[in-house]
Amino acid sequence: MPHRLTRWGLGLAAGLCLAQAPEGPRILRPADQSALPAGPLSVIARGDEKSQLLLDGKPLEAKRPFATVLTATLAPASGPHTLTLATAGAEQKVQFFAGPKPPAGFQPYRPHPPAAATCDTCHAVKDGEWGFKGTVLSENCFGCHNQKTFATKHSHNEETLAECQLCHDPHGSTEKFHLKMTREIACKQCHG
Ligand code: HEC
Ligand code: HEC
Ligand code: HEC
Ligand code: HEC
């Protein structure tokens, strides 16, 4: 049905802007205002060669799986914390709370299990850029998630679903099922 496809096509084009993470240096995990259980926290940031991560103002020793990609595993004390990504004069800050009884305003954040799926489960450096393993993102997901039970939870065909990151944040989320935005907005990307 060409008419419906066109509508979806347009909706998808508009939705892509909505779905894409803002360009530039950014802390990708955890989300701002996250409440996290006590215990190790795997941080992910996109910066440049000189970017630095700071926890509560103190520089962190970050690993760089690629020149512009920073990761660190923290063990923050219970309480509120500020994570900063400092890049050439600009700073991005994320507030998070570790441990039980987060104050109002902090949303429980669930990381995608970082020990089960490590960076190179999904990522690879390709043509000198930080990119993805394989040609289709979903190849990496079905190594662990059952494609059969998966289909019963999704009302879409395989083609529509192939780009998992349209709806899911593969690093984790404060939304159920690691959705990257509220369910309502996730659907409106294409179903205007
Ligand atoms: C389960 C798969 C998966 C795992 C595991 C994963 N990522 Fe990602 N990552 C993605 C996807 C998918 C995107 C694209 C997200 C989007 O487009 O919204 C992404 C985006 C990124 C980006 C932004 C790239 C850009 O140019 O905007 C960086 C940086 C990144 N990941 C680093 C990491 C690091 C470091 C780790 C390990 C600590 C990691 N990722 C683990 C799937 C994964
Ligand atoms: C069009 C949006 C959308 C796309 C694209 C999408 N998902 Fe989902 N996914 C959802 C929603 C919504 C739920 C919650 C379903 C429910 O309420 O039971 C979900 C649930 C899940 C779950 C948890 C339920 C289960 O079956 O275990 C997994 C895992 C999952 N998705 C993986 C994936 C993977 C892998 C891809 C890419 C191949 C993908 N999703 C693509 C929207 C999407
Ligand atoms: C190395 C194994 C592995 C890979 C690869 C992997 N995951 Fe997962 N994923 C897990 C585990 C373990 C969990 C936590 C247990 C669960 O909820 O099923 C999880 C949880 C999830 C959930 C939340 C399920 C829920 O019920 O809330 C979503 C959504 C999800 N993964 C999406 C993806 C997507 C999208 C990809 C590919 C980009 C991917 N995963 C790749 C192991 C993996
Ligand atoms: C990436 C674009 C995209 C997103 C995001 C999206 N859909 Fe769809 N949806 C489609 C397309 C294309 C079809 C028709 C082809 C198919 O079944 O995949 C469809 C079909 C459907 C159908 C089958 C019934 C029908 O009208 O033909 C349902 C139900 C549905 N979507 C619900 C949802 C829900 C609920 C969400 C949010 C979790 C969602 N969609 C998000 C693109 C999308």
Side-chain angles (χ1 to χ4, degrees):
M1 274 184 278
H3 174 70
R4 294 173 81 192
L5 282 176
T6 307
R7 209 186 72 211
W8 272 316
L10 290 172
L12 179 55
L16 280 174
C17 311
L18 209 158
Q20 255 162 18
E23 295 292 323
R26 213 165 82 89
I27 295 168
L28 301 169
R29 178 163 76 197
D32 196 22
Q33 299 296 119
S34 289
L36 296 141
L41 163 62
S42 156
V43 168
I44 303 177
R46 174 184 66 205
D48 67 20
E49 286 82 352
K50 295 195 174 140
S51 299
Q52 206 179 20
L53 280 169
L54 301 96
L55 181 64
D56 303 324
K58 293 195 193 83
L60 280 174
E61 203 159 316
K63 284 198 184 127
R64 288 178 185 268
F66 187 67
T68 56
V69 178
L70 293 88
T71 67
T73 304
L74 317 180
S78 288
H81 296 280
T82 304
L83 185 67
T84 305
L85 177 68
T87 307
E91 284 192 342
Q92 190 219 339
K93 288 184 194 294
V94 156
Q95 315 285 346
F96 69 94
F97 189 91
K101 305 207 176 121
F106 289 92
Q107 300 297 322
Y109 178 91
R110 277 200 311 144
H112 187 261
T118 58
C119 316
D120 56 8
T121 305
C122 298
H123 289 288
V125 176
K126 270 195 208 158
D127 304 326
E129 304 254 1
W130 182 252
F132 297 107
K133 230 162 116 176
T135 43
V136 183
L137 178 68
S138 52
E139 286 170 18
N140 302 313
C141 315
F142 294 133
C144 298
H145 295 286
N146 185 328
Q147 191 163 7
K148 264 193 194 153
T149 57
F150 166 89
T152 64
K153 297 269 185 185
H154 291 82
S155 34
H156 296 95
N157 63 30
E158 257 173 60
E159 199 189 330
T160 310
L161 289 175
E163 299 294 328
C164 320
Q165 79 277 15
L166 282 175
C167 299
H168 296 287
D169 186 326
H171 301 145
S173 172
T174 51
E175 299 293 328
K176 261 175 122 178
F177 301 108
H178 302 168
L179 291 179
K180 73 190 293 181
M181 50 197 92
T182 63
R183 197 187 177 101
E184 200 195 10
I185 296 175
C187 309
K188 278 193 180 156
Q189 293 182 96
C190 300
H191 300 282

